[in-house]
Amino acid sequence: VSPANLIVGLPAAAAALWVSLQLLPPGDRRLSYGALAGILLRLPWQSLVAGIDVARRALDPRMPLRTGFIVFPSRLPPGSARDAFCALMSLQPGTLPVGAGEKDDILFHCLDTAQPVAAQLAAEEARFLRALGQERRDA
């Protein structure tokens, strides 16, 4: 990283953060910074392990891909929190949110539908909800 880039980039990032906080409507929940840090610290390791798995499946003819779709019954209501969860899950190789299902479901494309993808998504969503400071969806 060039120092010249930091001279421009840091004030720009600070200004964007300030504008975002000014425009964001006040919320009724508090972020859990510890849970958020846990998600961010897990992400590189998960991505590495999942990337290796995807590469093995793509390059080894004995490991057939069982692609398909699963419907995940999300506890997150439609909105910015759900969008952030989908963005986070799109970084995980092997699963990709592709749209909304019926009700409050999220449709995911998976490389291997025989894997416990829904259970893994539920665990990630629970971590995400803790980071948002909510354990369960408000009705």
Side-chain angles (χ1 to χ4, degrees):
V1 175
S2 165
N5 292 341
L6 290 175
I7 291 171
V8 173
L10 288 176
L17 174 64
W18 183 83
V19 168
S20 174
L21 291 173
Q22 298 305 310
L23 296 175
L24 184 67
D28 59 347
R29 58 184 165 229
R30 296 245 183 235
L31 286 178
S32 168
Y33 294 108
L36 184 60
I39 288 173
L40 295 176
L41 290 172
R42 282 173 40 91
L43 187 62
W45 176 251
Q46 281 184 298
S47 293
L48 176 67
V49 170
I52 291 169
D53 180 60
V54 168
R56 268 188 35 231
R57 290 177 189 280
L59 299 174
D60 187 349
R62 296 174 304 215
M63 292 189 72
L65 297 176
R66 293 177 221 111
T67 61
F69 296 91
I70 66 155
V71 176
F72 176 66
S74 178
R75 298 186 311 170
L76 290 162
S80 59
R82 177 185 274 204
D83 293 342
F85 174 71
C86 286
L88 183 63
M89 291 302 97
S90 72
L91 298 174
Q92 298 298 314
T95 59
L96 181 67
V98 294
E102 294 181 18
K103 302 178 188 172
D104 285 339
D105 300 335
I106 303 171
L107 185 63
F108 280 86
H109 180 268
C110 307
L111 287 181
D112 190 352
T113 56
Q115 296 296 314
V117 177
Q120 292 166 350
L121 289 170
E124 292 301 325
E125 184 182 56
R127 285 184 189 90
F128 190 77
L129 286 168
R130 278 194 299 279
L132 292 180
Q134 67 184 54
E135 292 298 318
R136 54 194 324 235
R137 181 176 165 187
D138 299 326

